[in-house]
C-alpha cells in the first residue's frame, strides 16, 4: 500500500552493488515493522531472482514489486 518511491527506497537501502543479501533482508522482514513469519518470507522468496550465494537481484526485485512508469502509462492508455 506504500507509494512506489517508498518501496524502491526501502529496498535500495539493502542494496550492495546490485544485490541484496537475502539473510539480511529476511532478518529485517522478521524483526521490524509489520513482522513477517518465516513461512511468509519463504513464500515471498519463491518469487525473487536469487543467485546460488543467496543474493537477490535488486533491480529485478524492485521491478517485481512496483509498476514501472511505462507499465503505468500503458494501463492508462488501455483504460482510455
Amino acid at each position: 500500500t506504500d507509494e512506489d518511491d517508498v518501496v524502491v527506497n526501502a529496498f535500495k537501502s539493502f542494496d550492495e552493488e546490485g544485490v541484496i543479501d537475502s539473510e539480511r533482508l529476511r532478518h529485517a522482514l522478521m524483526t521490524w515493522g509489520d513482522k513477517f513469519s518465516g513461512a511468509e518470507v519463504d513464500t515471498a522468496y519463491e518469487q525473487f531472482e536469487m543467485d546460488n550465494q543467496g543474493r537477490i537481484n535488486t533491480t529485478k526485485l524492485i521491478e517485481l514489486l512496483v509498476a514501472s512508469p511505462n507499465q503505468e502509462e500503458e494501463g492508462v492508455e488501455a483504460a482510455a
Side-chain angles (χ1 to χ4, degrees), residues 12 14-20 55-56 58:
K12 281 190 175 183
F14 288 91
D15 181 70
E16 298 172 0
E17 299 180 12
V19 294
I20 296 171
R55 297 176 302 191
I56 301 165
T58 305

Side-chain angles (χ1 to χ4, degrees), residues 4-46:
D4 286 354
D5 61 333
V6 174
V7 173
V8 169
N9 288 331
F11 284 100
K12 281 190 175 183
S13 70
F14 288 91
D15 181 70
E16 298 172 0
E17 299 180 12
V19 294
I20 296 171
D21 179 279
S22 62
E23 288 305 314
R24 184 173 163 230
L25 181 59
R26 174 183 293 277
H27 175 75
L29 292 171
M30 295 176 67
T31 305
W32 300 301
D34 294 330
K35 295 175 181 72
F36 282 56
S37 69
E40 290 170 323
V41 174
D42 290 341
T43 299
Y45 275 26
E46 290 174 5

Side-chain angles (χ1 to χ4, degrees), residues 49-65:
E49 186 173 313
M50 197 176 311
D51 68 15
N52 60 357
Q53 294 178 338
R55 297 176 302 191
I56 301 165
N57 181 300
T58 305
T59 302
K60 298 283 185 182
L61 175 60
I62 290 170
E63 288 173 355
L64 178 68
L65 297 175

